[in-house]
Amino acid sequence: MDQEKEKRKQSSREEKSEQEKFVYDGSVDYKGQVPRRASTGVWIASLFVLTIEFSERVSFFGIASNLISYLTKVMHEDLKTAAKNVNYWTGTTTLMPLIGGFLADAYTGRFPMVLFSSLVYLMGLSLLTMSQYIPSLKPCNTKTCLQPRKLHEVVFFLSLYCISLGTGGHKPCLESFGADQFDEDHVEERKKKMSFFNWWNFALCFALLLGATVIVYVQDFVSWGAACLILTILMALCIIAFYVGKPFYRYRRPQGNTLKPILQVLVAAIRKRKLSCPSNPDLLYEVPKSDNSQGRLLSNTNNLRFLDKAAIIEDTQIDKKRNPWRLTTVTRVEETKLILNLIPIWLTSLTTGICLAQGSTLFVKQAASMNLKLSDSFTIPPASVSAAAAIGTIIFVPIYDRIIVPSMRKITGNERGISILKRISIGLTFSVIVMIVAALVEAKRLRMHEQEKTMRLSVFWLVPQCFILGFGDAFSLVGLQEYFYDQVPDSMRSLGMALYLSVIGVGSFLSSFLIIIVDYVTEKNGKSWFGKDINSSRLDKYYWMLAIINALNLCAYIFIAKRYTYKSVERRGNEINGCESDGVEMIT
């Protein structure tokens, strides 16, 4: 008896040693073999991923932060048209990842998609640079353009939407590819993955800071051509660096059409709608753990019980070849539940995107109408006001990751410190505060403009609302990134990140839609809240309206979040680093 126990212990130690040496999470190395833990993945690989993300974000924020200024000053568009064009471009840029994410998960894999889309992105930057240097493509032949060439407008917008196309494959795949470098069945690597999303956002905000200060300064005081050339060279160098890191990465193979299994569950559940679900979930169909081709198995949950009927084994199906349109596994059923559970969270997160849209449009126009001088010789570019939001996030993320999370782990017992949905709710609360502060500041700016025509309010009055926006992003955006990576099926993580980005994209479109509706309604009732310029507008009333919308949305979100059921994963019997697992973990 003692010998048998000793043999089992020895076998367990050998298994742990093997699992510590290699990564058995379904990933492969660049040779297609099981990755070695010591030489692949984790922070070594993530640094290469963060590098190319940094260059892409510097490019995006460098363009997006100051785009409204270019459209109004060079293209001579009015405030409404310019704001809508910025929102359309931002919206398209953040909705394209839905296509790129699906293709990467289903067919191409994440690394090839990132590499290809990065080259498309580089082509867009190159075209943008050419539109500033080639004489026939320049806005005009004079220093100040009264009316830009039509050809320049075509090439300029073509380059912008080429960048959008590149972002479509770049953004959803790169972040999920970075998170793939951490083994979720290894306790230490799983904790590092939670930190990865915090530091990802830290790098993103550092890129925003650089793009909204250095790049914007070059655009305003040197030339847009010089800024575009810098961004093009930086992107080219980082693409090379990303490719050099190829031996250090862990790769996930594409899983085929990831939407087909969800459709199979719905069809099977409808076909068996008259059957009653068994009280014991163990009676539902699941593949044996020893023969699992689906990756990690999910445990049955009590919500959306109707879908469980898809996994009921009928008498006619015993000893017959399984028809996936008639009988699906518990894991497939739970994956379908995850997708359906995403919908209300996604809908109530859209106000985050609406608030972010103000930061790159109306906040910038506010700044342009204020006193931007730091001294007689130095003037702050209006678009640099968004740097305050980046600074707020940069300050807060390390505090959250190194102080708040460890403290909250001890208090709550939650591995994350604060659950994902609670973190998002805190960010949504900050969105309400941002709009209230923005409304108060804009009202003060308008009063001062009416009373003192020669005096302008200092741009530093915008810093508090931008700081609060940055603090909120550290909760809402990072929380949404974690949510849409962790709470989707493992085979759909690129698409999950695309759904996160679509929150920002749809939020931008909704912002444009609100501007159109508000402009129409208020103009019909007297004077429009959106005038020809910022001083003839009433943005303070618009901000108050957004504050009310955000507050009502927060109430709806809390109602939904309290009833949310998290993903339940069956983990391997022994977790690496000596900690025993109970076989099931609720991902919160």
Side-chain angles (χ1 to χ4, degrees):
M1 194 72 174
D2 291 338
Q3 288 180 345
E4 290 181 5
K5 284 184 178 180
E6 189 61 33
K7 284 181 181 179
R8 284 198 296 269
K9 287 182 179 179
Q10 180 65 25
S11 175
S12 178
R13 283 195 292 268
E14 289 176 358
E15 183 182 349
K16 287 181 182 179
S17 176
E18 183 72 9
Q19 290 173 352
E20 185 64 48
K21 190 175 180 181
F22 294 95
V23 181
Y24 294 102
D25 65 348
S27 60
V28 297
D29 63 13
Y30 75 108
K31 294 180 180 178
Q33 300 173 349
V34 178
R36 288 182 173 271
R37 193 176 299 279
S39 59
T40 63
V42 201
W43 292 117
I44 298 173
S46 296
L47 287 175
F48 289 98
V49 177
L50 286 169
T51 298
I52 192 169
E53 167 66 8
F54 176 79
S55 69
E56 190 275 331
R57 291 291 87 183
V58 170
S59 300
F60 177 80
F61 289 127
I63 296 168
S65 299
N66 213 18
L67 182 58
I68 194 166
S69 297
Y70 190 89
L71 294 178
T72 51
K73 292 179 180 178
V74 179
M75 300 289 197
H76 296 289
E77 294 181 349
D78 59 38
L79 178 61
K80 286 182 292 187
T81 305
K84 285 188 287 186
N85 279 333
V86 172
N87 287 329
Y88 289 149
W89 177 70
T90 304
T92 302
T93 303
T94 45
L95 284 178
M96 285 299 293
L98 289 170
I99 300 173
F102 172 77
L103 292 175
D105 284 338
Y107 304 112
T108 67
R110 287 160 195 159
F111 178 81
M113 180 60 77
V114 170
L115 200 59
F116 171 75
S117 57
S118 296
L119 294 174
V120 174
Y121 199 111
L122 181 63
M123 184 172 69
L125 288 174
S126 302
L127 194 60
L128 193 62
T129 304
M130 288 189 289
S131 73
Q132 302 296 321
Y133 281 112
I134 297 178
S136 60
L137 300 180
K138 292 174 69 174
C140 57
N141 295 325
T142 57
K143 188 173 181 180
T144 303
C145 293
L146 298 177
Q147 184 65 39
R149 292 188 179 107
K150 286 293 181 184
L151 181 59
H152 172 77
E153 290 186 21
V154 171
V155 174
F156 183 80
F157 281 107
L158 179 63
S159 62
L160 287 181
Y161 283 93
C162 189
I163 289 171
S164 296
L165 184 63
T167 306
H170 192 283
K171 282 298 293 176
C173 302
L174 192 60
E175 187 169 0
S176 54
F177 183 68
D180 287 345
Q181 307 309 310
F182 302 86
D183 181 7
E184 290 188 354
D185 287 321
H186 189 286
V187 174
E188 291 303 316
E189 287 197 16
R190 190 163 70 245
K191 288 180 179 178
K192 289 176 182 176
K193 176 183 277 191
M194 294 171 192
S195 291
F196 168 77
F197 288 104
N198 290 325
W199 292 105
W200 175 275
N201 214 54
F202 180 88
L204 185 148
C205 290
F206 192 73
L208 169 58
L209 179 62
L210 186 61
T213 53
V214 177
I215 301 302
V216 165
Y217 185 86
V218 173
Q219 290 168 348
D220 284 357
F221 298 104
V222 181
S223 71
W224 264 75
C228 293
L229 183 61
I230 293 170
L231 296 176
T232 304
I233 294 171
L234 178 63
M235 189 68 179
L237 293 174
C238 288
I239 291 173
I240 295 171
F242 177 71
Y243 188 80
V244 168
K246 189 176 180 181
F248 300 101
Y249 302 138
R250 298 172 187 171
Y251 304 85
R252 300 274 182 170
R253 292 191 176 100
Q255 301 293 311
N257 190 336
T258 51
L259 299 179
K260 184 178 178 181
I262 295 172
L263 184 60
Q264 289 173 338
V265 170
L266 296 174
V267 171
I270 293 171
R271 280 182 168 183
K272 293 187 277 190
R273 60 189 178 277
K274 295 181 180 179
L275 300 180
S276 299
C277 288
S279 57
N280 184 1
D282 291 337
L283 297 176
L284 298 174
Y285 177 72
E286 183 61 280
V287 295
K289 292 183 181 179
S290 58
D291 184 31
N292 177 26
S293 59
Q294 295 186 152
R296 298 191 302 169
L297 300 181
L298 301 181
S299 302
N300 181 254
T301 56
N302 291 324
N303 67 318
L304 299 174
R305 293 281 292 169
F306 171 78
L307 295 176
D308 290 344
K309 295 182 180 183
I312 296 176
I313 303 173
E314 297 175 289
D315 293 336
T316 56
Q317 293 172 329
I318 298 175
D319 298 327
K320 288 186 177 181
K321 187 177 180 181
R322 181 174 68 92
N323 177 4
W325 295 95
R326 186 80 190 182
L327 177 64
T328 64
T329 65
V330 170
T331 294
R332 293 303 188 203
V333 170
E334 291 303 314
E335 287 178 345
T336 305
K337 290 181 183 180
L338 289 175
I339 296 301
L340 295 177
N341 285 337
L342 291 178
I343 297 172
I345 299 296
W346 183 85
L347 289 171
T348 50
S349 300
L350 292 178
T351 53
T352 301
I354 295 175
C355 288
L356 285 175
Q358 312 315 311
S360 59
T361 53
L362 300 181
F363 284 9
V364 176
K365 292 308 293 181
Q366 278 181 276
S369 67
M370 300 170 84
N371 184 5
L372 295 163
K373 288 188 176 182
L374 280 182
S375 65
D376 293 335
S377 59
F378 186 79
T379 301
I380 302 172
S384 293
V385 69
S386 57
I391 293 170
T393 305
I394 288 171
I395 291 172
F396 192 75
V397 165
I399 296 172
Y400 181 84
D401 190 71
R402 296 302 177 188
I403 299 174
I404 296 177
V405 170
S407 300
M408 293 303 296
R409 278 174 180 162
K410 295 176 183 177
I411 296 170
T412 64
N414 190 312
E415 200 171 33
R416 298 180 186 278
I418 302 173
S419 68
I420 298 175
L421 294 182
K422 285 181 181 175
R423 185 174 186 173
I424 296 170
S425 69
I426 296 171
L428 293 176
T429 304
F430 273 112
S431 296
V432 179
I433 300 171
V434 167
M435 289 297 105
I436 292 173
V437 174
L440 294 173
V441 171
E442 176 62 9
K444 181 175 178 61
R445 189 195 68 80
L446 287 173
R447 285 197 303 271
M448 189 167 181
H449 173 73
E450 292 173 2
Q451 295 168 5
E452 303 282 347
K453 297 291 184 181
T454 58
M455 293 285 290
R456 292 195 295 175
L457 195 66
S458 172
V459 72
F460 287 104
W461 277 86
L462 293 180
V463 169
Q465 67 197 56
C466 292
F467 259 126
I468 297 170
L469 185 63
F471 290 151
D473 289 350
F475 285 98
S476 58
L477 291 187
V478 181
L480 286 168
Q481 288 168 17
E482 286 190 81
Y483 175 79
F484 283 106
Y485 180 86
D486 281 327
Q487 297 299 309
V488 297
D490 292 356
S491 61
M492 298 177 64
R493 282 176 161 168
S494 293
L495 189 59
M497 297 316 301
L499 286 169
Y500 151 69
L501 292 166
S502 72
V503 168
I504 303 172
V506 174
S508 294
F509 282 119
L510 286 176
S511 180
S512 292
F513 178 73
L514 281 173
I515 289 174
I516 294 170
I517 296 299
V518 169
D519 178 55
Y520 174 78
V521 172
T522 54
E523 189 174 39
K524 195 174 182 181
N525 293 332
K527 184 181 178 183
S528 172
W529 288 359
F530 296 94
K532 178 68 177 176
D533 55 47
I534 194 78
N535 292 322
S536 61
S537 303
R538 289 305 306 266
L539 296 186
D540 56 330
K541 293 183 179 180
Y542 180 65
Y543 290 152
W544 278 117
M545 186 191 75
L546 290 182
I548 294 170
I549 291 173
N550 276 273
L552 294 173
N553 178 77
L554 176 60
C555 296
Y557 173 86
I558 293 172
F559 177 81
I560 292 167
K562 282 185 175 181
R563 289 156 179 78
Y564 186 84
T565 302
Y566 284 98
K567 185 179 185 179
S568 182
V569 178
E570 292 188 14
R571 297 200 181 277
R572 293 198 296 259
N574 292 311
E575 286 209 328
I576 304 165
N577 85 342
C579 295
E580 295 288 329
S581 75
D582 59 3
V584 178
E585 174 169 333
M586 294 296 289
I587 305 295
T588 59

